[in-house]
Amino acid sequence: MSKDKYDVIIIGAGVSGCAVAWKLARYNLDILLLEKAPDVATGTTKANTAIIHAGYNADPEKQKGRLNNKGNVQIKQIVKDLSVPFEEIGSLVVGMEDDDLSVLDELLEKGKKNGVEGLEIVDKEWLQREEPNLSDKAVKALWAPTAGIITPWEFALAMAENAVVNGVELKLETEVLDVYTENDKVTGVKTNAGDFTADYVINAAGLYADDVARMVGIEKINIHPRKGEYYIYDHAKDFEINHVLFPIPTKISKGIVCTKTIEDNLLIGPTSDFVDSKEDLATTRDGLDHVFEGAKKMFPDLTLKDTIRVFAGLRAADTTEDFVIEAAENVKGFVNVAGIQSPGLSSSPAVADLVAEILENEGLNLEEKKDVIETREDPARFYELSNEERAAYAEKDKDYGKIICRCETVSYKEIVDAINGPIPARTVNAVKRRTRAGAGRCQGGFCGPRVTQIIADELGIETTEVRLEKDTSNIVKYKIKGLLGSQGDEE
């Protein structure tokens, strides 16, 4: 039941905000998680390289370095508890003939300082055996076996769902317009859905964390968005990559990455270009050319034949190039979780631990609940199942036998369950993130209208009210029959 007074308000339901909510839900607290979008994980969390980094690249003297490896270790248990697909496939930083190969030794030493286990330098023979499509010019690499791949939006969603079943209240499409303070102490927030009071406010607003910080007079945080563009390939492809592969990194970027995804797609990217707008998600010809050329350096035989989509994401980079996770000096009860770019996904559980520690130091009583629900029911994923397993599901419920998305083998039942889940999918993209309907080769060309109709039926709305994502993204402008009828009336 909704209320107005909370112990903690969390602003932003990206992976960081969801992780903090998941962590704090273990305590006897009244918690409100606010997100201005129609779903969780719609910002940086939905558009990145989907890697759980080992932790060798982050500076040991920065929060990134201190939190990456810790988060990497924690995630291995969390994905089991919350039934999130994850594969520990390992990563390689590949050195070519003309590269400065001493960088590999530097990364090895940095990784050891960060506590990363299993790191080693591997030779050309090892590379040719493990990655047969890799360029002959690759001579050695840093091998990090603890790196992995994950579906980032499902990871965030799983933590948010678990937080909700443990008592956290989530309000979507609720934008924070101001943060109230009194006598240099947080008292609550003003939103487009009304005012809510709290003793503690967590600023996990991603790209907009600096804007939220300025609401309480903090000027030190400056988010300068950095765009990354990508190609994604269909999982029905004839070119295989077995690990996460990086080139020798630069000071601001890990370079063009080539990796398989958890659903067995191939992903290449990203670029790393500062942009002025926090809404600039446009792909560019120059950017995509740069991605493909970078990938070709490692994999000369790679083509664009099986690409199915291009996309861009924005990193919420602070000018310090580090995370900014700290209690405000000037306002009691306000905690920043800002500048969360790579390795933010990998670090998210450790970020949540640090936030809990900060809150306790600030005076919040963290009394553990006695009956925390630790697990999440494993949702059906038809694309992972054999035909025999699918038949068994359909025998129990005939709605599993109705395949809506042919490219990704998504059933009617999976879509209905997503729309009626703990955090209901209310847009076409929200259904896509939960089920993969529309994520395949035809990109929703076949299943899109059917998904739209199912959403309308389940939510009790007209198809003209169904959105792709945001307010102005309605899928259907008008019904043809209705339009023809109105024209007839006019005549």
Side-chain angles (χ1 to χ4, degrees):
M1 183 178 293
S2 180
K3 54 191 293 183
D4 295 327
K5 176 69 171 72
Y6 299 87
D7 297 308
V8 181
I9 292 175
I10 303 165
I11 304 172
V15 73
S16 297
C18 291
V20 172
W22 169 81
K23 175 69 177 182
L24 296 182
R26 270 95 187 113
Y27 304 104
N28 286 314
L29 299 170
D30 290 322
I31 302 165
L32 176 62
L33 176 60
L34 300 176
E35 171 54 54
K36 69 177 182 178
D39 194 18
V40 302
T42 63
T44 300
T45 303
K46 76 170 172 57
N48 56 73
T49 321
I51 297 168
I52 300 303
H53 292 282
Y56 53 77
N57 193 53
D59 187 340
E61 301 304 316
K62 292 187 174 183
Q63 286 187 329
K64 286 181 179 182
R66 294 192 291 272
L67 298 177
N68 186 166
N69 181 54
K70 183 181 177 184
N72 174 290
V73 172
Q74 291 174 292
I75 282 171
K76 312 296 170 62
Q77 183 59 49
I78 296 171
V79 295
K80 293 178 183 177
D81 292 340
L82 301 184
S83 300
V84 178
F86 169 80
E87 289 183 43
E88 192 176 54
I89 62 172
S91 68
L92 291 159
V93 182
V94 180
M96 300 293 188
E97 291 174 352
D98 297 329
D99 287 338
D100 180 2
L101 300 179
S102 67
V103 174
L104 298 178
D105 296 310
E106 293 171 7
L107 291 174
L108 176 63
E109 292 307 310
K110 190 186 292 185
K112 289 179 178 178
K113 289 181 180 178
N114 286 339
V116 181
E117 296 182 353
L119 294 174
E120 63 174 309
I121 304 293
V122 296
D123 60 17
K124 188 182 187 77
E125 182 180 354
W126 190 101
L127 290 171
Q128 290 176 337
R129 181 178 69 251
E130 295 293 324
E131 290 288 352
N133 290 313
L134 190 60
S135 170
D136 289 338
K137 293 183 179 180
V139 293
K140 61 193 300 189
L142 174 64
W143 166 238
T146 60
I149 51 176
I150 199 168
T151 306
W153 51 86
E154 184 164 1
F155 182 48
L157 174 67
M159 290 191 288
E161 286 185 344
N162 186 251
V164 167
V165 299
N166 280 303
V168 171
E169 184 178 348
L170 169 65
K171 288 185 178 293
L172 299 171
E173 298 186 88
T174 305
E175 182 176 2
V176 172
L177 305 175
D178 200 2
V179 177
Y180 294 127
T181 62
E182 187 175 320
N183 299 322
D184 296 327
K185 187 181 186 311
V186 161
T187 58
V189 298
K190 175 183 180 181
T191 79
N192 60 335
D195 294 350
F196 305 97
T197 60
D199 297 321
Y200 297 88
V201 171
I202 313 298
N203 172 20
L207 289 161
Y208 298 89
D210 53 347
D211 298 325
V212 173
R214 290 188 190 102
M215 294 176 185
V216 296
I218 297 174
E219 301 290 338
K220 62 180 286 188
I221 297 172
N222 292 287
I223 303 299
H224 193 174
R226 195 159 62 232
K227 184 193 289 187
E229 301 180 44
Y230 296 85
Y231 277 105
I232 190 162
Y233 289 67
D234 189 26
H235 50 72
K237 60 192 181 303
D238 56 9
F239 193 96
E240 295 297 328
I241 290 176
N242 300 318
H243 307 92
V244 181
L245 290 102
F246 301 90
I248 297 288
T250 67
K251 290 183 178 180
I252 65 167
S253 172
K254 298 179 181 71
I256 301 302
V257 183
C258 300
T259 180
K260 63 182 289 187
T261 71
I262 202 73
E263 297 85 10
D264 202 31
N265 299 87
L266 171 63
L267 182 67
I268 60 174
T271 51
S272 183
D273 300 309
F274 285 109
V275 293
D276 294 328
S277 171
K278 295 179 179 181
E279 300 290 329
D280 182 2
L281 293 171
T283 55
T284 65
R285 183 72 270 158
D286 287 346
L288 294 172
D289 286 346
H290 178 67
V291 167
F292 185 55
E293 289 163 7
K296 290 272 286 184
K297 289 178 182 178
M298 284 198 286
F299 293 96
D301 295 333
L302 185 66
T303 71
L304 295 175
K305 182 180 68 172
D306 293 312
T307 56
I308 57 174
R309 191 177 184 90
V310 297
F311 68 93
L314 295 174
R315 306 165 180 86
D318 184 66
T319 51
T320 62
E321 289 299 328
D322 194 12
F323 301 159
V324 184
I325 306 168
E326 60 187 16
E329 295 179 359
N330 59 321
V331 181
K332 178 77 172 174
F334 189 85
V335 178
N336 283 307
V337 183
I340 309 297
Q341 55 172 319
S342 181
L345 174 63
S346 314
S347 305
S348 54
V351 168
D353 284 349
L354 179 56
V355 171
E357 181 183 322
I358 291 170
L359 287 171
E360 192 167 31
N361 290 338
E362 289 292 295
L364 181 62
N365 181 28
L366 298 182
E367 178 187 356
E368 292 188 6
K369 289 178 180 175
K370 295 180 181 179
D371 53 354
V372 173
I373 299 170
E374 298 283 358
T375 58
R376 182 180 77 131
E377 184 178 351
D378 194 3
R381 299 183 182 92
F382 250 41
Y383 68 88
E384 295 180 342
L385 304 179
S386 67
N387 285 335
E388 291 76 14
E389 290 170 321
R390 291 167 186 162
Y393 269 88
E395 185 70 25
K396 294 178 181 178
D397 189 327
K398 64 181 183 350
D399 285 342
Y400 280 117
K402 302 174 184 176
I403 301 302
I404 303 300
C405 174
R406 294 179 180 177
C407 296
E408 298 297 309
T409 320
V410 181
S411 69
Y412 174 84
K413 183 67 164 59
E414 291 170 88
I415 294 170
V416 170
D417 286 348
I419 297 169
N420 294 283
I423 300 175
R426 300 182 298 171
T427 67
V428 171
N429 278 352
V431 168
K432 180 180 178 180
R433 283 188 289 272
R434 287 161 176 77
T435 69
R436 290 189 58 77
R441 184 174 285 268
C442 84
Q443 289 292 291
F446 174 77
C447 68
R450 301 180 74 184
V451 170
T452 300
Q453 186 63 60
I454 295 168
I455 293 172
D457 291 344
E458 290 298 311
L459 297 183
I461 60 178
E462 294 291 330
T463 52
T464 51
E465 298 176 79
V466 177
R467 295 170 293 170
L468 181 68
E469 192 80 87
K470 297 182 179 179
D471 285 342
T472 57
S473 62
N474 295 64
I475 298 292
V476 179
K477 187 173 183 180
Y478 44 70
K479 294 183 177 181
I480 295 296
K481 288 184 178 179
L483 181 64
L484 294 175
S486 65
Q487 289 178 340
D489 293 339
E490 291 173 3
E491 293 174 359

